[in-house]
Amino acid sequence: MSLSTRTRLDRFISRQLNIKRGDVRPLLAKSRILVDGRVAKDIQQTIHQFSHVVFDGQTLQDNTPRYVMMHKPIGVVSATQDDQHQTVIDLLDPGQHDKLHIAGRLDFNSSGLLLLTNDGRWSRHLCTPGNNIHKRYRVELEKPLTEDYIRAFAEGMSFDYENITTQPAHLKIISKYIAEVSLVEGRYHQIKRMFGRFQNRVLQLHRLSIGALSLDQSLLPGQSRALTRLELKHLGCPDSVLDKR
Ligand code: URA
């Protein structure tokens, strides 16, 4: 169950206690169920992934929302499991991985800001192009950049395989071989493929920021830390969820 897929409390209780849904109403009437510390009375009440639910003093659900920033190193897979290579999950302290997923992958050879969470609604919010959350990358190229790149990135490029045209992207030339690229979407190998149109190979790709959040410069490659309340607020996390951390 995620935040967006709320479920009715009576359905949840009937499943947890293995009783009929009709038998939940008397439990509510006798004030035996608490949701987030309040006596639940309404049979129509809904709960989400992070609702704290207690029956007769026994906790039925208590998931803590988790939000982690990592400095992803080169040579590690953005996946929760991999048969061949170390994954970003392997870099977390034991006991920290529980149910975390990646909010916007980086390629094996890319580095930089990576976000991990157990909050599916938040990761979808960050990755939905319509929400206009810019992901900014520093890109080092094999061949010199020209002004033509700026126009081509801004106009969008057609990707035949997905049958789409990329959203307008912003490219800033920093030096002859270095650009900063800002995207609102994350297609497979998107930046490499966009430079590929110019037969220009990406030598290094580093994610600098996601929306208002920049990679913490004190994190060495492979290190991670929990996001602060302020950082989460800037990235669209509602107070109702922040209060549960
Ligand atoms: N675009 C790419 O090609 N690779 C990444 O890791 C991120 C964006």
Side-chain angles (χ1 to χ4, degrees):
M1 190 197 327
S2 74
L3 273 169
S4 46
T5 55
R6 296 179 74 98
T7 196
R8 270 178 61 138
L9 179 63
D10 58 348
R11 182 192 295 262
F12 173 82
I13 297 288
S14 81
R15 274 211 219 109
Q16 290 287 317
L17 301 183
N18 204 13
I19 58 176
K20 291 194 204 118
R21 267 171 91 169
D23 292 338
V24 176
R25 194 183 286 273
L27 301 180
L28 294 176
K30 288 184 189 144
S31 306
R32 292 174 69 184
I33 295 165
L34 300 182
V35 175
D36 293 335
R38 294 211 187 104
V39 174
K41 290 280 179 208
D42 182 2
I43 194 81
Q44 310 245 7
Q45 176 169 355
T46 58
I47 57 165
H48 58 67
Q49 179 191 4
F50 300 121
S51 301
H52 183 208
V53 185
V54 175
F55 166 66
D56 278 355
Q58 178 200 341
T59 298
L60 299 182
Q61 176 177 276
D62 185 14
N63 301 324
T64 306
R66 296 195 45 225
Y67 307 92
V68 174
M69 161 196 299
M70 176 182 284
H71 183 166
K72 180 198 173 291
I74 292 168
V76 172
V77 186
S78 286
T80 47
Q81 262 190 322
D82 191 272
D83 292 340
Q84 288 179 1
H85 300 285
Q86 194 177 34
T87 71
V88 290
I89 296 287
D90 296 330
L91 297 176
L92 297 170
D93 289 337
Q96 268 205 338
H97 334 138
D98 205 24
K99 297 182 197 147
L100 292 185
H101 63 265
I102 297 155
R105 290 161 192 270
L106 285 171
D107 292 341
F108 186 71
N109 291 321
S110 302
S111 60
L113 176 60
L114 190 78
L115 297 177
L116 298 122
T117 183
N118 59 354
D119 182 347
R121 187 167 85 158
W122 184 69
S123 53
R124 270 195 302 284
H125 168 74
L126 293 183
C127 298
T128 301
N131 292 334
N132 249 356
I133 298 174
H134 287 257
K135 288 87 190 175
R136 203 161 50 88
Y137 300 82
R138 181 185 177 278
V139 192
E140 187 183 332
L141 295 139
E142 192 176 43
K143 296 182 195 156
L145 290 149
T146 66
E147 299 287 318
D148 294 344
Y149 288 65
I150 299 174
R151 204 177 333 109
F153 274 60
E155 276 173 2
M157 295 180 190
S158 61
F159 281 2
D160 290 344
Y161 183 70
E162 295 98 327
N163 193 23
I164 54 112
T165 300
T166 57
Q167 302 274 326
H170 186 247
L171 183 144
K172 184 171 160 193
I173 298 176
I174 304 293
S175 65
K176 196 168 170 187
Y177 297 98
I178 309 270
E180 260 184 38
V181 174
S182 177
L183 304 176
V184 292
E185 59 190 339
R187 305 273 170 197
Y188 179 68
H189 292 331
Q190 180 162 346
I191 292 181
K192 290 175 187 154
R193 289 161 77 194
M194 291 179 88
F195 283 106
R197 290 290 161 92
F198 292 89
Q199 280 79 49
N200 200 348
R201 202 158 64 89
V202 170
L203 300 180
Q204 277 196 23
L205 185 50
H206 182 81
R207 185 151 62 201
L208 301 163
S209 60
I210 297 177
L213 181 71
S214 295
L215 177 64
D216 183 337
Q217 294 301 309
S218 70
L219 289 179
L220 297 172
Q223 289 185 332
S224 54
R225 68 158 171 83
L227 292 183
T228 66
R229 190 180 172 98
L230 190 64
E231 287 169 339
L232 286 164
K233 250 184 121 66
H234 285 149
L235 283 180
C237 199
D239 282 335
S240 58
V241 175
L242 287 173
D243 292 341
K244 301 213 171 249
R245 291 159 63 243

